Amino acid sequence: MQSRSCLRLCFSFLLGVTLFVAAGRAEAYPWMNRHGYTGCATCHADPSGAGLLTPYGRAQSELLLSTRYTHAEAEDEPSRFSGQLFGIGPLPEELLVGGWLRSGYIWNSVDGHLVDHRYLLMRADLGAQVNVGKFRANGSLGIASSDSRPLSQQAALTNNAGAANLVSREHWVGLDLADDAVLVRAGRINLPFGLRNIEHTSWVRAETRTDFNQAQQHGAAIAYNSASFRTEGMLVLGNFQMRPDVYRERGIVGYAELALNDHTTAGISVLATRAAADVSNPKETFRQAHGAFARISFWTPLVFLVEADALITSASGSGTSVGYTGFLQADYEVLRGLHLALTGEGLRRPKAGSDIGAGGWATVSWFFLPHFDARVDVVRRSGLGAPDTMTYLAQLQGYL
């Protein structure tokens, strides 16, 4: 019984940290299609979304995301506060700067018993991009606390066990081509796969290993964006910030998404990588994930996000196993800046005898000022041969 209790405590601790760090970064919202934005390159330096905002993206962040407290005509124009560094001073047009700070409190229970509650610092990063003609150089540097190590160590530059570490989630150089419709780049890049949703420990992100908190890989990518179509493909050379080399995955990953109208899109994703050894299996492993995703809005206040992926794993001498994962979220904007969301997810891992898991999220988020938002999540997960967990998350985040 004592051993079982210890296992439950360890499981709940890891899951609690995982879910808490999942709370969103104020930078990537696939439900922006409710406002007619089916692409990402207009507002983000990364053509597939997330990361640094362009000046236009900063303006739209204030005009479309944040709650307004008056009805003056001046609200049709962004305030000085929406500018870089909160608009305190002019910066060269060739320079983009940003920063992200996320912290909060967690309560986690297993089988109805509270097992963990504490404050966590989840992210503290700075980022910048320099544009010189058609050339771009982009990078970020931050500090990850020891509590967030399980979901930051793949991005770590240092290896201080039990202490804070320096992390760099992205760093790349790129070249704009074809009147800026094409971006060719190389470096440590977000993997172009599926929805770029902020719940990065949702199973569609964690099991495909395509979250943008730490799962970036080094390689080369080419992206194309037009008014109705966007795509990106990447040659994965491995995560050079992870050692030893036998665990580095190499292969290809990419997506293509078509805008069916101004508010609805549909896309497909493919991923195929091989590593000499997997983190969960010492044998040579060929891993695949293939799926489809959509962003649907028939009514401006309501957006549905859906993704379904097949998970295929082939380990040397062990044959091939198939699993699946799925994600469905309904986001309702009650009034400008205040969102209610319900999310359901399912998972069957690609291994013999794998149990089926089910999860549900209830979320309230409020973009109460430009650059600031608060979020509360209640998350329940069951199945997968583990105890039922209930996690309560409260967080505050800001970005420059």
Side-chain angles (χ1 to χ4, degrees):
M1 289 295 292
Q2 184 176 4
S3 175
R4 184 178 179 184
S5 297
C6 290
L7 287 174
R8 284 186 175 182
L9 183 60
C10 291
F11 175 84
S12 63
F13 171 78
L14 292 176
L15 181 60
V17 170
T18 297
L19 290 175
F20 187 68
V21 177
R25 290 156 47 172
E27 55 176 294
Y29 301 105
W31 42 250
M32 282 295 287
N33 61 305
R34 65 165 31 102
H35 299 294
Y37 288 93
T38 56
C40 302
T42 303
C43 295
H44 292 275
D46 186 321
S48 296
L52 287 169
L53 289 168
T54 64
Y56 183 82
R58 288 179 175 276
Q60 297 311 304
S61 173
E62 179 177 351
L63 293 175
L64 299 178
L65 294 186
S66 304
T67 297
R68 290 297 187 94
Y69 302 98
T70 68
H71 298 283
E73 290 296 326
E75 289 187 359
D76 293 334
E77 295 294 331
S79 68
R80 180 181 176 184
F81 191 64
S82 69
Q84 298 190 90
L85 301 178
F86 301 108
I88 61 176
L91 291 176
E93 292 183 0
E94 297 79 11
L95 178 64
L96 297 178
V97 296
W100 303 268
L101 180 64
R102 184 170 73 246
S103 63
Y105 207 89
I106 182 171
W107 298 262
N108 194 42
S109 65
V110 176
D111 286 342
H113 301 288
L114 183 67
V115 296
D116 183 32
H117 64 97
R118 66 208 139 88
Y119 166 83
L120 285 177
L121 173 64
M122 296 166 288
R123 189 182 182 194
D125 288 11
L126 295 174
Q129 176 172 297
V130 176
N131 304 310
V132 180
K134 297 296 183 180
F135 175 79
R136 301 193 201 180
N138 183 301
S140 70
L141 185 65
I143 297 175
S145 67
S146 58
D147 286 333
S148 67
R149 181 178 175 85
L151 290 184
S152 62
Q153 58 188 352
Q154 292 181 34
L157 297 173
T158 58
N159 186 25
N160 301 315
N165 283 280
L166 289 176
V167 296
S168 180
R169 304 176 203 275
E170 294 181 77
H171 41 266
W172 49 266
V173 294
L175 189 66
D176 286 309
L177 303 172
D179 293 327
D180 297 341
V182 175
L183 175 64
V184 179
R185 53 184 176 153
R188 193 171 199 269
I189 300 169
N190 288 316
L191 293 182
F193 186 99
L195 295 169
R196 195 151 285 183
N197 58 302
I198 58 178
E199 297 83 8
H200 67 76
T201 57
S202 57
W203 285 324
V204 291
R205 297 283 68 80
E207 297 299 321
T208 59
R209 304 180 191 176
T210 56
D211 71 82
F212 60 88
N213 191 65
Q214 67 165 349
Q216 297 88 349
Q217 297 273 5
H218 290 83
I222 180 169
Y224 170 78
N225 282 268
S226 70
S228 60
F229 180 73
R230 66 190 187 106
T231 184
E232 185 172 10
M234 180 176 175
L235 176 65
V236 179
L237 301 179
N239 179 6
F240 298 139
Q241 289 166 224
M242 184 171 67
R243 297 178 178 81
D245 183 73
V246 293
Y247 293 114
R248 293 173 181 157
E249 294 185 302
R250 295 176 172 91
I252 58 171
V253 59
Y255 77 91
E257 185 183 40
L258 177 67
L260 305 179
N261 56 47
D262 288 343
H263 303 280
T264 299
T265 71
I268 58 172
S269 306
V270 296
L271 180 150
T273 63
R274 185 184 297 274
D278 189 71
V279 291
S280 60
N281 190 331
K283 300 177 180 180
E284 182 182 17
T285 301
F286 180 50
R287 187 175 65 87
Q288 301 179 67
H290 308 295
F293 61 96
R295 298 179 289 149
I296 304 165
S297 179
F298 301 115
W299 178 45
T300 300
L302 182 63
V303 175
F304 293 98
L305 304 177
V306 59
E307 181 175 346
D309 301 308
L311 309 172
I312 306 168
T313 300
S314 302
S316 179
S318 301
T320 299
S321 300
V322 179
Y324 57 81
T325 184
F327 175 96
L328 174 62
Q329 182 179 89
D331 182 282
Y332 176 59
E333 189 172 28
V334 181
L335 52 85
R336 185 161 64 178
L338 179 62
H339 295 251
L340 304 179
L342 294 176
T343 306
E345 57 180 349
L347 170 66
R348 184 184 184 277
R349 292 194 170 99
K351 60 182 180 181
S354 178
D355 292 330
I356 296 175
W361 304 52
T363 303
V364 179
S365 55
W366 183 26
F367 299 83
F368 59 93
L369 286 173
H371 302 279
F372 291 96
D373 65 278
R375 176 169 169 153
V376 175
D377 291 89
V378 178
V379 183
R380 179 179 176 83
R381 278 179 167 172
S382 60
L384 301 177
D388 293 351
T389 63
M390 185 73 80
T391 303
Y392 305 89
L393 316 169
Q395 60 181 334
L396 178 66
Q397 53 191 345
Y399 64 100
L400 292 175

